[in-house]
Amino acid sequence: MRTFIQLALMALMLGTVAINNAALADDLRTGHLLPIGASVESLQHAQSVGVLLSDNTRDNLGYLERYHDMALNGAKDALDGRIRQAFVNSSDPELAIDWLMSSLQGTFLSVTVYDNLDALVQAHPDVVVMLDTHNQLLTPRNDVVEARFVARFYDANLQYIAKAEGSVHKQVPSVWVHDKAAPEIAAQIEQQRDVQLDALKQFDASLKSLVRAG
């Protein structure tokens, strides 16, 4: 009963965290990136890459930060440590961005993130990447965990080349129940991190295939 009461407290808190269900952000929102279609052969390991984070990515990072903060600081000392740590581990807002940037840095000669398209264009990188991320985590109203990562590539003339992507969604048995022990609940919550990692591994494979084709 105590575990259920603890979960009820966490459910109440996480219920205040908005879930971003927006579709993948439109690359053309800036009005500059034109999907004319360049050749994938224009992607090479020796190139410099300029990265833009989509509005969807920035919104999703905010969502993860709020969820993570709630897991860290909400109802202190009232939640089983194993359950709390599972929420914390599986909502790390830096996990996906760090992984995606590392993938790009391991693939190209240099990778730089820019605040806006104008600054990027002035820097004249060989390749432009619009990075779009989406994560959805467990709440009392949601038992489907999603992770979706897309990098859209454009050449120096801002013509669309191709995209690398990874996407996983998984329905997790409800953790907001009476009859489960803390270790079982924690293991189920940790699946949120597994979903992210699986999608990121898909992204890695997609990126390698794309550049190898180039």
Side-chain angles (χ1 to χ4, degrees):
M1 177 61 74
R2 182 172 182 271
T3 298
F4 178 73
I5 293 173
Q6 293 171 343
L7 278 172
L9 287 171
M10 183 58 77
L12 181 63
M13 292 183 297
L14 292 181
T16 66
V17 180
I19 298 176
N20 183 355
N21 281 320
L24 287 178
D26 183 3
D27 290 352
L28 308 181
R29 189 172 295 169
T30 60
H32 291 70
L33 301 180
L34 303 178
I36 299 174
S39 170
V40 71
E41 294 179 358
S42 59
L43 291 178
Q44 304 292 333
H45 289 290
Q47 292 171 318
S48 61
V49 172
V51 178
L52 292 174
L53 302 182
S54 72
D55 289 346
N56 190 60
T57 295
R58 296 181 188 278
D59 290 345
N60 198 239
L61 282 172
Y63 159 69
L64 288 174
E65 287 167 358
R66 292 190 297 274
Y67 192 106
H68 191 69
D69 182 68
M70 195 66 72
L72 275 171
N73 301 309
K76 284 188 174 180
D77 303 320
L79 189 66
D80 184 280
R82 292 160 294 186
I83 295 174
R84 179 185 296 280
Q85 194 58 48
F87 275 118
V88 171
N89 291 343
S90 62
S91 61
D92 180 0
E94 303 298 328
L95 173 63
I97 288 295
D98 287 350
W99 183 299
L100 295 168
M101 291 304 300
S102 179
S103 292
L104 291 170
Q105 290 165 353
T107 302
F108 296 98
L109 180 63
S110 68
V111 178
T112 305
V113 178
Y114 294 89
D115 290 334
N116 55 69
L117 184 59
D118 290 339
L120 184 150
V121 169
Q122 290 180 11
H124 303 297
D126 299 318
V127 177
V128 175
V129 173
M130 175 68 79
L131 194 59
D132 197 279
T133 69
H134 172 81
N135 291 275
Q136 182 169 289
L137 303 178
L138 294 170
T139 71
R141 297 180 180 179
N142 173 65
D143 60 1
V144 176
V145 180
E146 295 183 81
R148 185 168 62 244
F149 309 113
V150 181
R152 291 180 174 85
F153 291 82
Y154 299 82
D155 68 12
N157 296 316
L158 302 183
Q159 295 183 352
Y160 177 75
I161 300 172
K163 65 181 178 181
E165 59 186 329
S167 179
V168 175
H169 73 278
K170 182 176 184 178
Q171 187 164 8
V172 177
S174 178
V175 300
W176 322 101
V177 295
H178 289 270
D179 59 348
K180 291 183 180 179
E184 182 182 1
I185 294 170
Q188 287 179 263
I189 295 167
E190 285 283 3
Q191 291 182 54
Q192 297 189 126
R193 185 178 180 90
D194 296 337
V195 165
Q196 281 202 70
L197 292 174
D198 288 345
L200 289 166
K201 290 173 184 176
Q202 284 187 16
F203 177 89
D204 279 350
S206 178
L207 178 61
K208 289 177 181 177
S209 177
L210 191 63
V211 178
R212 186 164 55 244

